[in-house]
């Protein structure tokens, strides 16, 4: 199901990406898996992350979306079993260290006032949290990489930290 949400999101941003001369590549290494929750909400999460990535990407660059399964990650998700990780990695300028701790705050934006409300990443965080997951910003040498960590339906949540 999450791979369907990612594919829906990629198709929704395809025209915007094409206009920006940016390529979106989805690599599903996870295979079939199920995440309990709202498919529309997850599509909204990935659409928002992809739109931000397109906005940040220079022409002729690539946004890599990778789905993978990992066994447990108790430091992020207090559940047993496998977890789905969806990475959205762009080739843009990256996020400066000076604002990294504020990017998930409501109404915080680096976009001009007429281009963004600053609600996108806070909404993404809330939807993912409602699914028992977390969103993190990965340290990468270039660009920006958001990672959505979601428990699969085989893992039982113990506690959902914010």
């Amino acid at each position: 199901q999450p791979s369907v949400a990612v594919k829906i999101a990629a198709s929704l941003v395809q025209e915007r990406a094409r206009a920006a001369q940016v390529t979106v590549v989805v690599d599903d290494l996870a295979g079939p898996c199920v995440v309990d929750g709202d498919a529309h909400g997850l599509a909204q999460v990935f659409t928002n992350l992809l739109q931000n990535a397109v906005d940040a990407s220079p022409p002729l660059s690539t946004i890599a979306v990778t789905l993978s399964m990992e066994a447990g990650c108790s430091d992020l998700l207090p559940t047993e079993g496998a977890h789905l990780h969806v990475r959205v990695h762009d080739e843009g300028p990256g996020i400066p260290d000076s604002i990294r701790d504020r990017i998930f705050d409501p109404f915080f934006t680096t976009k001009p006032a007429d281009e963004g409300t600053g609600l996108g990443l806070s909404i993404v965080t809330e939807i993912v949290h409602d699914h028992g997951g977390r969103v993190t910003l990965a340290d990468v040498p270039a660009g920006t990489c958001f990672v959505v960590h979601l428990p699969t339906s085989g893992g039982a949540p113990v506690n959902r930290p914010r």
Side-chain angles (χ1 to χ4, degrees), residues 132-149:
R134 300 248 340 249
V135 181
T136 59
L137 180 61
D139 288 325
V140 291
T144 300
C145 183
F146 284 97
V147 185
V148 177
H149 310 268

Side-chain angles (χ1 to χ4, degrees), residues 72-79 83:
C73 55
S74 60
D75 56 329
L76 293 173
L77 301 177
T79 59
H83 297 96

Side-chain angles (χ1 to χ4, degrees), residues 46-60:
F46 301 125
T47 300
N48 185 284
L49 292 175
L50 284 169
Q51 286 175 338
N52 286 349
V54 169
D55 291 347
S57 296
L60 306 178

Side-chain angles (χ1 to χ4, degrees), residues 50-96:
L50 284 169
Q51 286 175 338
N52 286 349
V54 169
D55 291 347
S57 296
L60 306 178
S61 65
T62 300
I63 298 167
V65 182
T66 307
L67 291 82
S68 62
M69 293 292 286
E70 296 179 23
C73 55
S74 60
D75 56 329
L76 293 173
L77 301 177
T79 59
E80 301 281 329
H83 297 96
L84 175 70
H85 300 271
V86 182
R87 291 169 178 80
V88 178
H89 188 179
D90 67 52
E91 296 176 354
I95 297 175

Side-chain angles (χ1 to χ4, degrees), residues 102-111 116-123:
R102 298 181 6 218
I103 61 170
F104 295 105
D105 292 349
F107 303 107
F108 179 79
T109 183
T110 58
K111 295 178 182 178
T117 62
L119 291 173
L121 288 176
S122 65
I123 291 170

